[in-house]
Amino acid sequence: YVMVPLTDNNFILACLITSKIEKREEFYDDKILKDCLIKLTSKQISCLRIKSLIDCNQPLFLSKEEFKDRVKDIQIIDEHLPKTLKHEIITKLKKSPAVKQIIKQTINEYL
């Protein structure tokens, strides 16, 4: 997961990162949903070893405790997102028709 920092430190907004690019692209048959996938290289996020993508259609918005309970065996790498990538993630989250309105409102309020 990639975490989008919020001004409220009690909550986490996270989007899945996967290296299964083709499988994720095939999962979405709607062009708008496919447009909310962000392809990545290690130039954008240095800890990535292979090409990957961020899925901005199914974000998690959870308290830190809920996130820890739900996502087990996760390796945490503290790497700051480039501003351009953070902006792209936020734009795609707002654009995606699959993202719940409450999450879009939270983005507007806490970013």
Side-chain angles (χ1 to χ4, degrees):
Y1 288 91
V2 61
M3 311 297 181
V4 179
L6 300 171
T7 55
D8 183 340
N9 287 329
N10 296 315
F11 292 92
I12 291 175
L13 179 60
C15 296
L16 178 73
I17 295 180
T18 181
S19 59
K20 298 175 182 171
I21 295 171
E22 289 179 17
K23 199 173 206 178
R24 186 56 58 159
E25 288 177 328
E26 290 171 3
F27 181 75
Y28 297 111
D29 55 357
D30 183 288
K31 183 182 177 343
I32 295 172
L33 295 174
K34 282 185 181 182
D35 286 345
C36 294
L37 303 173
I38 302 171
K39 292 183 181 178
L40 300 170
T41 67
S42 60
K43 290 180 183 178
Q44 292 163 294
I45 299 180
S46 63
C47 63
L48 294 177
R49 293 183 181 87
I50 58 176
K51 290 181 181 178
S52 300
L53 66 74
I54 298 173
D55 185 345
C56 296
N57 292 304
Q58 299 180 26
L60 294 178
F61 178 64
L62 304 167
S63 71
K64 286 184 177 181
E65 292 306 313
E66 288 173 312
F67 186 80
K68 287 177 191 174
D69 290 343
R70 184 182 285 191
V71 181
K72 303 289 185 195
D73 300 323
I74 189 170
Q75 179 186 7
I76 297 174
I77 300 171
D78 187 11
E79 182 173 332
H80 293 282
L81 293 176
K83 283 185 179 185
T84 54
L85 181 57
K86 180 181 172 185
H87 177 73
E88 186 176 8
I89 293 169
I90 292 165
T91 300
K92 304 262 182 190
L93 285 167
K94 289 179 177 182
K95 178 182 176 183
S96 174
V99 175
K100 293 178 183 176
Q101 194 61 35
I102 188 75
I103 294 175
K104 292 179 182 185
Q105 290 171 342
T106 301
I107 291 169
N108 290 332
E109 187 175 339
Y110 290 107
L111 290 176

